[in-house]
Coordinates of all heavy atoms in Angstrom, one line a residue:
M1 N 0.9 -1.2 0.0 CA 0.0 0.0 0.0 C 0.9 1.3 0.0 O 1.8 1.5 0.8 CB -0.9 0.0 1.2 CG -1.8 1.2 1.4 SD -3.0 1.2 2.8 CE -4.2 -0.1 2.0
P2 N 0.7 2.1 -0.9 CA 1.5 3.4 -0.9 C 1.3 4.3 0.3 O 0.1 4.3 0.8 CB 1.0 4.1 -2.2 CG -0.3 3.5 -2.5 CD -0.3 2.2 -1.9
T3 N 2.3 4.9 0.7 CA 2.1 5.9 1.7 C 2.7 7.3 1.3 O 3.7 7.4 0.5 CB 2.9 5.4 3.0 OG1 4.2 5.2 2.6 CG2 2.3 4.1 3.5
G4 N 1.9 8.4 1.8 CA 2.5 9.7 1.7 C 2.9 10.3 3.0 O 2.8 9.6 4.1
T5 N 3.5 11.4 3.0 CA 3.8 12.1 4.2 C 3.0 13.3 4.5 O 2.7 14.1 3.6 CB 5.3 12.6 4.1 OG1 6.2 11.4 3.8 CG2 5.7 13.1 5.4
C6 N 2.4 13.3 5.7 CA 1.6 14.3 6.0 C 2.3 15.6 6.1 O 3.3 15.6 6.9 CB 0.9 14.0 7.4 SG -0.1 15.3 8.1
P7 N 2.0 16.6 5.5 CA 2.7 17.9 5.6 C 2.5 18.6 7.0 O 3.4 19.5 7.3 CB 2.1 18.8 4.5 CG 1.2 17.8 3.7 CD 0.8 16.7 4.5
E8 N 1.6 18.2 7.6 CA 1.3 18.8 9.0 C 2.1 18.2 10.1 O 2.7 18.9 10.8 CB -0.2 18.6 9.3 CG -0.6 19.3 10.6 CD -0.9 20.8 10.5 OE1 -0.8 21.3 9.4 OE2 -1.0 21.5 11.6
C9 N 2.2 16.9 10.2 CA 2.9 16.3 11.2 C 3.9 15.3 10.7 O 4.6 14.6 11.6 CB 1.8 15.6 12.2 SG 1.0 14.2 11.4
E10 N 4.1 15.2 9.5 CA 5.1 14.3 8.8 C 4.9 12.8 9.1 O 5.9 12.0 9.2 CB 6.6 14.7 9.3 CG 6.8 16.2 8.8 CD 8.3 16.6 9.1 OE1 9.0 15.8 9.9 OE2 8.6 17.6 8.6
A11 N 3.7 12.4 9.5 CA 3.4 11.0 9.8 C 3.2 10.4 8.4 O 2.8 11.0 7.4 CB 2.2 10.8 10.6
D12 N 3.4 9.0 8.4 CA 3.2 8.2 7.2 C 1.5 8.1 7.0 O 0.9 7.7 7.9 CB 3.7 6.8 7.2 CG 5.2 6.9 7.1 OD1 5.7 8.0 6.4 OD2 5.9 6.0 7.5
V13 N 1.0 8.5 6.0 CA -0.5 8.4 5.6 C -0.5 7.3 4.5 O 0.0 7.4 3.5 CB -0.9 9.7 5.2 CG1 -2.4 9.6 4.9 CG2 -0.7 10.8 6.2
H14 N -1.4 6.4 4.8 CA -1.7 5.3 3.9 C -2.8 5.9 2.9 O -3.7 6.3 3.2 CB -2.2 4.0 4.7 CG -1.2 3.4 5.5 ND1 -0.4 2.5 5.1 CD2 -0.9 3.8 6.7 CE1 0.5 2.1 6.1 NE2 0.1 2.9 7.1
V15 N -2.4 5.6 1.6 CA -3.4 6.0 0.6 C -3.8 4.8 -0.2 O -3.1 3.8 -0.4 CB -2.6 6.9 -0.5 CG1 -3.4 7.4 -1.6 CG2 -2.1 8.1 0.1
D16 N -5.1 4.8 -0.5 CA -5.6 3.7 -1.3 C -4.8 3.3 -2.5 O -4.4 4.2 -3.2 CB -7.1 3.8 -1.6 CG -8.0 2.7 -1.3 OD1 -7.4 1.6 -1.1 OD2 -9.2 3.1 -1.1
T17 N -4.7 2.0 -2.8 CA -4.0 1.6 -3.9 C -4.4 2.1 -5.3 O -3.8 2.5 -6.2 CB -4.0 0.0 -4.1 OG1 -3.6 -0.5 -2.8 CG2 -2.9 -0.5 -5.1
D18 N -5.8 2.2 -5.3 CA -6.5 2.7 -6.6 C -6.8 4.2 -6.4 O -7.8 4.7 -7.1 CB -7.6 1.8 -7.0 CG -8.6 1.6 -5.9 OD1 -8.4 2.3 -4.8 OD2 -9.6 1.1 -6.0
A19 N -6.2 4.8 -5.5 CA -6.6 6.2 -5.2 C -6.2 7.1 -6.4 O -5.2 6.7 -7.2 CB -6.0 6.9 -4.0
D20 N -6.9 8.2 -6.8 CA -6.6 9.0 -7.9 C -6.3 10.4 -7.3 O -6.6 10.8 -6.2 CB -7.7 9.0 -8.9 CG -7.1 9.2 -10.2 OD1 -6.0 9.6 -10.5 OD2 -8.0 8.9 -11.2
K21 N -5.7 11.1 -8.2 CA -5.3 12.6 -7.9 C -6.6 13.3 -7.6 O -7.6 13.0 -8.3 CB -4.7 13.4 -8.9 CG -3.1 12.9 -9.0 CD -2.5 13.8 -10.1 CE -1.0 13.3 -10.3 NZ -0.3 14.0 -11.5
G22 N -6.6 14.1 -6.6 CA -7.9 14.8 -6.2 C -8.7 14.1 -5.1 O -9.6 14.9 -4.5
E23 N -8.4 12.8 -4.9 CA -9.0 12.3 -3.8 C -8.5 12.8 -2.5 O -7.3 13.2 -2.3 CB -9.0 10.8 -3.9 CG -9.7 10.2 -5.0 CD -9.7 8.7 -4.9 OE1 -9.8 8.2 -3.7 OE2 -10.0 8.0 -5.9
T24 N -9.3 12.7 -1.4 CA -8.8 13.1 0.0 C -8.7 12.1 0.9 O -9.6 11.0 0.8 CB -9.9 14.3 0.5 OG1 -11.2 13.7 0.4 CG2 -9.8 15.5 -0.4
V25 N -7.9 12.1 1.8 CA -7.6 11.2 2.9 C -7.4 11.9 4.2 O -7.1 13.1 4.1 CB -6.3 10.2 2.6 CG1 -6.7 9.3 1.4 CG2 -5.1 11.1 2.4
D26 N -7.7 11.2 5.3 CA -7.4 11.9 6.6 C -6.2 11.3 7.1 O -6.0 10.1 7.2 CB -8.6 11.6 7.5 CG -9.9 12.4 7.0 OD1 -9.8 13.2 6.3 OD2 -11.0 11.9 7.5
C27 N -5.4 12.3 7.7 CA -4.2 11.8 8.4 C -4.7 11.1 9.7 O -5.5 11.7 10.5 CB -3.3 13.0 8.8 SG -1.9 12.7 9.9
E28 N -4.1 10.0 10.0 CA -4.5 9.2 11.2 C -3.9 9.8 12.4 O -4.4 9.6 13.6 CB -4.2 7.7 11.1 CG -4.9 7.1 9.9 CD -4.7 5.6 9.8 OE1 -3.8 5.0 10.7 OE2 -5.0 5.1 8.9
E29 N -2.8 10.5 12.3 CA -2.1 11.1 13.4 C -2.8 12.4 13.9 O -3.1 12.5 15.1 CB -0.6 11.3 13.1 CG 0.2 10.1 12.9 CD 0.3 9.2 14.2 OE1 0.4 10.0 15.3 OE2 0.2 8.2 14.2
C30 N -2.9 13.5 13.0 CA -3.4 14.7 13.4 C -4.8 15.0 13.0 O -5.3 16.0 13.3 CB -2.4 15.8 13.0 SG -2.3 16.0 11.2
G31 N -5.4 14.1 12.0 CA -6.8 14.3 11.6 C -7.0 15.3 10.6 O -8.1 15.6 10.2
V32 N -5.8 15.8 10.1 CA -6.1 16.9 9.0 C -6.5 16.2 7.6 O -6.1 15.0 7.4 CB -4.7 17.6 8.7 CG1 -3.6 16.8 8.0 CG2 -5.1 19.0 8.1
H33 N -7.2 16.9 6.8 CA -7.7 16.4 5.6 C -6.7 16.8 4.5 O -6.2 17.9 4.4 CB -8.9 17.2 5.2 CG -10.2 16.8 6.1 ND1 -10.7 15.6 6.2 CD2 -10.9 17.5 7.0 CE1 -11.7 15.5 7.1 NE2 -11.8 16.8 7.6
L34 N -6.3 15.6 3.8 CA -5.3 15.7 2.8 C -5.8 15.4 1.5 O -6.6 14.6 1.3 CB -4.1 14.8 3.2 CG -3.5 15.1 4.4 CD1 -2.6 14.0 5.1 CD2 -2.7 16.4 4.6
E35 N -5.3 16.1 0.4 CA -5.6 15.8 -1.0 C -4.4 15.2 -1.7 O -3.3 15.6 -1.4 CB -6.1 17.2 -1.7 CG -6.4 16.8 -3.1 CD -6.8 18.1 -3.9 OE1 -7.0 19.1 -3.2 OE2 -6.9 18.0 -5.1
V36 N -4.7 14.1 -2.4 CA -3.6 13.5 -3.2 C -3.4 14.3 -4.4 O -4.3 14.5 -5.3 CB -4.2 12.1 -3.6 CG1 -3.0 11.3 -4.5 CG2 -4.6 11.2 -2.4
V37 N -2.1 14.9 -4.4 CA -1.9 15.7 -5.7 C -0.7 15.1 -6.4 O -0.3 15.6 -7.5 CB -1.3 17.0 -5.0 CG1 -2.3 17.8 -4.3 CG2 -0.1 16.8 -4.1
G38 N -0.2 13.8 -6.0 CA 0.7 13.1 -6.8 C 0.8 11.7 -6.4 O 0.3 11.4 -5.3
L39 N 1.0 10.9 -7.3 CA 0.8 9.3 -7.1 C 2.2 8.6 -7.1 O 2.3 7.5 -6.5 CB -0.1 8.8 -8.1 CG -1.6 9.3 -8.0 CD1 -2.3 8.8 -9.3 CD2 -2.2 8.8 -6.7
D40 N 3.3 9.2 -7.8 CA 4.4 8.4 -8.0 C 5.6 9.4 -7.9 O 6.2 9.9 -8.9 CB 4.5 7.6 -9.3 CG 5.7 6.7 -9.5 OD1 6.2 6.3 -8.4 OD2 6.1 6.3 -10.6
P41 N 6.1 9.7 -6.8 CA 5.5 9.1 -5.4 C 4.3 9.8 -5.0 O 4.0 10.8 -5.6 CB 6.6 9.5 -4.4 CG 7.3 10.8 -5.0 CD 7.2 10.6 -6.6
V42 N 3.8 9.4 -3.9 CA 2.6 9.9 -3.4 C 2.9 11.2 -2.7 O 3.7 11.3 -2.0 CB 1.9 9.0 -2.3 CG1 0.6 9.6 -1.7 CG2 1.5 7.6 -3.0
E43 N 2.1 12.2 -3.1 CA 2.3 13.5 -2.5 C 0.9 14.0 -2.0 O -0.1 13.8 -2.7 CB 2.8 14.6 -3.6 CG 4.3 14.3 -4.0 CD 4.7 15.5 -5.0 OE1 4.6 16.7 -4.5 OE2 5.0 15.1 -6.1
L44 N 1.0 14.6 -0.9 CA -0.3 15.1 -0.1 C -0.1 16.5 0.1 O 0.9 17.0 0.5 CB -0.4 14.2 1.2 CG -0.6 12.8 1.0 CD1 -0.5 12.0 2.2 CD2 -1.8 12.4 0.3
D45 N -1.3 17.2 0.1 CA -1.4 18.6 0.4 C -2.6 18.8 1.3 O -3.7 18.1 1.3 CB -1.6 19.3 -1.0 CG -1.1 20.7 -1.0 OD1 -0.4 21.1 0.1 OD2 -1.3 21.5 -1.9
I46 N -2.4 19.7 2.2 CA -3.5 20.1 3.2 C -4.6 20.7 2.5 O -4.5 21.6 1.8 CB -2.8 20.9 4.3 CG1 -1.8 20.1 5.1 CG2 -4.0 21.4 5.2 CD1 -1.1 21.0 6.2
V47 N -5.8 20.2 2.8 CA -7.0 20.8 2.2 C -7.5 21.8 3.3 O -7.8 21.5 4.5 CB -8.2 19.7 2.1 CG1 -9.6 20.4 1.7 CG2 -7.7 18.7 1.2
E48 N -7.6 23.1 2.9 CA -8.0 24.2 3.7 C -9.6 24.1 3.8 O -10.2 24.2 2.7 CB -7.6 25.5 3.2 CG -6.2 25.6 3.1 CD -5.3 25.6 4.4 OE1 -6.1 25.9 5.4 OE2 -4.0 25.6 4.3
E49 N -10.1 24.0 4.9 CA -11.5 24.0 5.1 C -11.9 25.3 5.5 O -11.5 25.9 6.5 CB -12.0 22.9 6.2 CG -11.7 21.5 5.7 CD -12.4 20.6 6.6 OE1 -13.7 20.5 6.4 OE2 -11.9 19.7 7.2
E50 N -13.0 25.9 4.8 CA -13.3 27.3 4.9 C -14.6 27.4 5.8 O -14.8 28.4 6.6 CB -13.6 28.1 3.5 CG -12.3 28.1 2.8 CD -12.6 28.8 1.4 OE1 -13.8 29.2 1.2 OE2 -11.5 28.8 0.6
D51 N -15.5 26.4 5.6 CA -16.7 26.6 6.6 C -16.7 25.7 7.7 O -17.1 24.5 7.6 CB -18.0 26.1 5.6 CG -17.8 24.9 4.8 OD1 -16.6 24.4 4.7 OD2 -18.7 24.3 4.5
L52 N -16.1 26.2 8.7 CA -16.0 25.5 9.9 C -17.2 25.8 10.8 O -17.7 27.0 10.8 CB -14.6 25.9 10.8 CG -13.3 25.5 9.9 CD1 -12.2 26.1 10.7 CD2 -13.2 24.0 9.9
D53 N -17.4 24.9 11.7 CA -18.7 25.0 12.5 C -18.6 26.1 13.6 O -19.4 26.7 13.9 CB -19.0 23.7 13.1 CG -19.6 22.7 12.3 OD1 -20.0 23.2 11.1 OD2 -19.5 21.5 12.6
D54 N -17.2 26.4 13.9 CA -17.1 27.4 15.0 C -16.9 28.7 14.5 O -16.5 29.6 15.1 CB -15.9 27.0 15.9 CG -14.6 26.7 15.0 OD1 -14.6 26.8 13.8 OD2 -13.5 26.7 15.6
D55 N -17.4 29.0 13.4 CA -17.3 30.3 12.8 C -18.7 30.9 12.7 O -19.5 30.5 12.0 CB -16.7 30.3 11.2 CG -16.5 31.7 10.7 OD1 -16.7 32.7 11.3 OD2 -16.1 31.8 9.5
D56 N -18.9 31.9 13.5 CA -20.2 32.5 13.8 C -20.5 33.8 13.1 O -21.3 34.4 13.3 CB -20.5 32.6 15.2 CG -20.6 31.3 16.0 OD1 -20.9 30.2 15.4 OD2 -20.2 31.4 17.2
D57 N -19.5 34.1 12.2 CA -19.4 35.4 11.6 C -20.7 35.5 10.6 O -21.3 36.6 10.6 CB -18.2 35.7 10.8 CG -17.1 36.0 11.8 OD1 -17.5 36.4 13.0 OD2 -15.9 36.0 11.4
D58 N -20.9 34.5 9.8 CA -22.0 34.7 8.9 C -23.3 34.1 9.4 O -23.5 32.9 9.5 CB -21.6 34.1 7.5 CG -21.3 32.7 7.6 OD1 -20.7 32.3 8.8 OD2 -21.3 32.0 6.6
D59 N -24.3 35.0 9.5 CA -25.6 34.6 9.9 C -26.4 34.3 8.7 O -26.5 35.2 7.9 CB -26.3 35.7 10.8 CG -25.7 35.8 12.1 OD1 -25.0 34.9 12.6 OD2 -25.6 37.1 12.7
E60 N -27.1 33.1 8.8 CA -27.9 32.8 7.6 C -29.5 33.1 8.0 O -29.9 32.9 9.1 CB -27.8 31.4 7.2 CG -26.5 31.0 6.5 CD -26.4 29.5 6.1 OE1 -27.3 29.1 5.7 OE2 -25.3 29.1 6.1
F61 N -30.1 33.6 7.0 CA -31.5 34.0 7.3 C -32.4 32.7 7.3 O -32.2 31.8 6.7 CB -32.0 34.8 6.1 CG -31.3 36.2 6.2 CD1 -30.4 36.4 5.3 CD2 -31.6 37.2 7.2 CE1 -29.8 37.8 5.2 CE2 -31.0 38.4 7.1 CZ -30.0 38.7 6.2
Ligands
ZN101 ZN1 -0.9 14.5 10.2

């Protein structure tokens, strides 16, 4: 099983054998969401999440 390195905590992150670029995986160590940006070798990039639950700035009607 291929592994990439988490940019956040540098842990080994297991990627599905048939994973494709653009798929997302979660780091088992720090829980950050990672996007597969390369396959040979496996490269991972942190996915920035914009709509977090603890953001109370935008009130919806
Ligand atoms: Zn991590």
Side-chain angles (χ1 to χ4, degrees):
M1 179 176 281
T3 57
T5 303
C6 173
E8 182 75 12
C9 69
E10 298 188 347
D12 286 337
V13 179
H14 295 270
V15 178
D16 226 338
T17 310
D18 56 355
D20 211 344
K21 286 182 184 177
E23 290 195 26
T24 54
V25 293
D26 290 341
C27 174
E28 293 179 10
E29 288 295 322
C30 66
V32 74
H33 295 293
L34 302 168
E35 179 180 350
V36 179
V37 294
L39 293 174
D40 188 22
V42 176
E43 289 186 58
L44 300 169
D45 211 2
I46 296 175
V47 177
E48 304 286 349
E49 294 199 64
E50 294 179 6
D51 51 341
L52 297 173
D53 287 338
D54 58 353
D55 187 0
D56 293 327
D57 281 345
D58 54 333
D59 292 328
E60 291 185 32
F61 293 103

